[in-house]
Amino acid sequence: MTKTASTQTAPQTVTDELRRWIITQAEAGCRPEDVVAAMVKSGWDEGVALAAMETTLRARLDEVAASREPVPPAVPVPEPNLDGAPPFLSVGGHRVEVLATMHNPRVVVFGGLLSGAECDGLIELARPRLARSETVDNATGGSEVNAARTSDGMFFERGEAPLILRIEQRIAELVLWPLDHGEGLQILRYRPGAEYRPHNDYFDPKHPGTAAVLQRGGQRVGTLVMYLNTPEAGGATTFPDVGLEVAPVKGNAVFFSYERPHAVTRTLHGGAPVLAGEKWVATKWLREGVFT
Ligand code: PD2
Ligand code: ZN
């Protein structure tokens, strides 16, 4: 039994470490009932343990299946100009720090992308329009409320207010991608306990609803998650394939790109549960073509 499974106390949070442990046990040939029994013995509620097993192993099976699928061709993706490894970039007169970079998956963490006043302004504009978040329904391409995403959210129209337009222009200049290739900004509010379970932002070519979604500008090829406040605890943006966690700090942002809609990009990511306080983010998804 590893430290993960033996040190949990209520409320019981299924961490990436626990997911990795479950996969290790299953791949070593442990029977599922023995894995659940070991978790229960170390303090886990049986229902939570069973649900964690089920979702973790289903995701792992999907990953193994994906590794056997044909890999779609690579397409151009947004990318900041980091030639010469600059410590900061000047974007429309605004200084943005380059805090961390990773190449596979392509991830860049920016500091000070938004000012405190810009973060507060986005929250103020979004708050009266929040509703329980929906995700794309894979079957139809429409949207549905999803238990994997327990936040409230809303979308702005592109350029709908001067503040939105200014931020969109900054993003376009930062990652060298045309403004009209971006979807409208999405705002999410997570309350304590809320999370966004690991997912990919690209549309899965296998899903029947994908063709409809691709009509509006093609695939998503990049994501920028901007933190509008600093939660008291929890709420990191996680990349479970590579064990990376980006702390949510007001004004900072994490950018990642995916040159094909496939797990080889290692851009599976999630929003870890918020442990205390609220977490607010603005997400800009970038498409291959003009988003209409
Ligand atoms: O809020 C986050 O950290 C987060 C994590 C994963 C947001 C998104 N995905 C997203 O908006 O796609
Ligand atoms: Zn996402």
Side-chain angles (χ1 to χ4, degrees):
M1 196 56 140
T2 68
K3 198 162 119 281
T4 307
S6 63
T7 56
Q8 296 293 331
T9 51
Q12 303 194 326
T13 302
V14 181
T15 60
D16 291 333
E17 194 187 351
L18 177 65
R19 290 189 184 98
R20 279 197 294 274
W21 178 81
I22 290 171
I23 291 166
T24 307
Q25 303 306 305
E27 291 183 345
C30 286
R31 294 182 315 160
E33 53 269 42
D34 293 338
V35 177
V36 171
M39 288 176 69
V40 169
K41 201 166 159 213
S42 58
W44 284 85
D45 171 85
E46 189 174 11
V48 176
L50 271 171
M53 274 278 299
E54 192 185 335
T55 49
T56 303
L57 294 182
R58 183 165 296 142
R60 176 67 186 144
L61 282 176
D62 287 350
E63 197 180 288
V64 170
S67 70
R68 301 200 171 118
E69 282 162 13
V71 179
V75 298
V77 295
E79 172 68 12
N81 181 0
L82 299 180
D83 291 351
F88 65 88
L89 298 171
S90 180
V91 190
H94 187 95
R95 183 183 155 118
V96 181
E97 294 165 315
V98 181
L99 297 180
T101 67
M102 188 180 250
H103 289 278
N104 181 18
R106 183 55 169 152
V107 178
V108 182
V109 182
F110 294 110
L113 176 61
L114 301 180
S115 70
E118 287 169 335
C119 293
D120 298 344
L122 285 177
I123 290 176
E124 204 175 303
L125 288 174
R127 192 188 291 279
R129 291 163 59 181
L130 289 179
R132 176 76 198 270
S133 288
E134 299 187 339
T135 44
V136 172
D137 178 338
N138 292 321
T140 64
S143 57
E144 58 174 8
V145 170
N146 188 330
R149 192 188 204 188
T150 47
S151 52
D152 302 312
M154 56 80 63
F155 278 92
F156 288 113
E157 291 289 319
R158 221 171 37 214
E160 78 162 63
L163 172 64
I164 308 282
L165 181 60
R166 182 166 87 226
I167 292 170
E168 289 173 334
Q169 284 166 336
R170 190 177 304 152
I171 294 169
E173 201 180 319
L174 178 69
V175 299
L176 302 174
W177 205 247
L179 193 153
D180 65 7
H181 287 35
E183 297 180 29
L185 264 187
Q186 178 203 232
I187 306 292
L188 291 179
R189 174 186 63 187
Y190 303 76
R191 294 209 145 111
E195 66 179 315
Y196 196 171
R197 291 198 203 131
H199 60 274
N200 291 296
D201 283 352
Y202 53 74
F203 304 109
D204 188 331
K206 287 193 308 301
H207 288 148
T210 291
V213 180
L214 297 186
Q215 300 282 314
R216 301 178 72 188
Q219 265 294 353
R220 286 181 177 159
V221 288
T223 305
L224 183 74
V225 177
M226 295 164 275
Y227 305 108
L228 305 182
N229 77 325
T230 306
E232 281 164 51
T237 303
T238 64
F239 293 81
D241 291 347
V242 290
L244 174 65
E245 298 194 359
V246 179
V249 173
K250 184 173 182 175
N252 290 3
V254 58
F255 165 76
F256 50 99
S257 64
Y258 22 97
E259 75 285 354
R260 43 188 125 223
H262 193 277
V264 290
T265 58
R266 308 209 292 177
T267 51
L268 185 74
H269 64 288
V274 173
L275 302 177
E278 288 186 345
K279 172 188 172 192
W280 288 78
V281 299
T283 303
K284 173 63 84 175
W285 285 297
L286 303 164
R287 299 285 189 116
E288 277 178 287
V290 177
F291 180 76
T292 49

